[in-house]
Amino acid sequence: MFKKYILAMAACCFIFVLSACGAEQKAETEVRQQAVQTEQIQVGEMAPDIELTGLDGKTLRLSELYGHGPVFINFWASWCPPCVQEMPDIQKAYEGHNGDIQFVAVDMDQKKEDGQAFWQKGKFTVPLYRSNIRDVTRAYQITGIPLSVLIDKGGKIVNMRLGSMSGEDVEKFLQPVSNR
């Protein structure tokens, strides 16, 4: 009976220690989330300069693109229904702007094959890139996708939107830098 009492007490202590560690971890996570919320990038700030890798394996910095004109960047994934839904409208806008705005689709899929397969199946021609998901998520404080960011030729963010867009929404989103 004494052994059962000792085992029961040991189990209670073990559970208490684990729950205390969980509470500490939860508190630490909440502090980190609050810090992230205060560091959100905003319209008017310089766009974080991320490294992008094209389907051909060549890398470039985002700043190389906006140095040539405004950039529309869309963070998306093939498993994301709103991302899939808006992609034909983004493709249409890409074709309609004839290069006055550079379009960049950043694939956030864990496996690059998933994004590439979706891209090929949909016959999309918007330039597709990948990047280090962790670095991009930190740089742009991505809390969900699709996330669209519009950057002027000076590198400043002029528009941001979390969530999918219709064709009309995409055109309104591009208006601050559009030549139309």
Side-chain angles (χ1 to χ4, degrees), residues 120-165:
Q120 291 167 350
K121 183 178 178 185
K123 298 182 180 166
F124 298 111
T125 58
V126 173
L128 178 63
Y129 293 91
R130 288 191 55 83
S131 193
N132 180 298
I133 293 172
R134 186 186 67 217
D135 293 346
V136 168
T137 300
R138 267 194 208 134
Y140 279 86
Q141 298 301 313
I142 298 173
T143 59
I145 55 174
L147 174 66
S148 297
V149 181
L150 187 62
I151 304 166
D152 70 12
K153 63 183 179 180
K156 284 190 181 174
I157 297 171
V158 294
N159 211 345
M160 291 181 67
R161 178 169 172 160
L162 178 62
S164 69
M165 295 188 273

Side-chain angles (χ1 to χ4, degrees), residues 18 23 32 49 52 64 74 80 92-93 96 99 106-107 111 116 124 133 136 138-139 150 163 179:
L18 283 180
R32 266 194 250 130
D49 192 16
L52 302 167
E64 294 174 46
N74 180 262
C80 163
K92 186 176 177 182
V106 178
D107 176 15
K111 297 180 191 172
Q116 289 176 352
F124 298 111
I133 293 172
V136 168
R138 267 194 208 134
L150 187 62
N179 290 335

Side-chain angles (χ1 to χ4, degrees), residues 50-142:
I50 56 176
E51 184 174 87
L52 302 167
T53 303
L55 291 178
D56 59 4
K58 293 181 181 175
T59 61
L60 60 91
R61 306 281 318 167
L62 181 60
S63 58
E64 294 174 46
L65 294 175
Y66 64 68
H68 298 287
V71 177
F72 168 84
I73 186 166
N74 180 262
F75 299 96
W76 70 280
S78 64
W79 50 261
C80 163
C83 301
V84 170
Q85 180 184 351
E86 76 174 354
M87 204 50 70
D89 292 318
I90 291 173
Q91 176 67 37
K92 186 176 177 182
Y94 170 70
E95 292 168 358
H97 280 273
N98 297 323
D100 65 320
I101 299 172
Q102 297 178 80
F103 282 66
V104 173
V106 178
D107 176 15
M108 301 291 282
D109 280 293
Q110 292 292 324
K111 297 180 191 172
K112 72 177 181 179
E113 296 82 17
D114 294 344
Q116 289 176 352
F118 171 79
W119 217 245
Q120 291 167 350
K121 183 178 178 185
K123 298 182 180 166
F124 298 111
T125 58
V126 173
L128 178 63
Y129 293 91
R130 288 191 55 83
S131 193
N132 180 298
I133 293 172
R134 186 186 67 217
D135 293 346
V136 168
T137 300
R138 267 194 208 134
Y140 279 86
Q141 298 301 313
I142 298 173

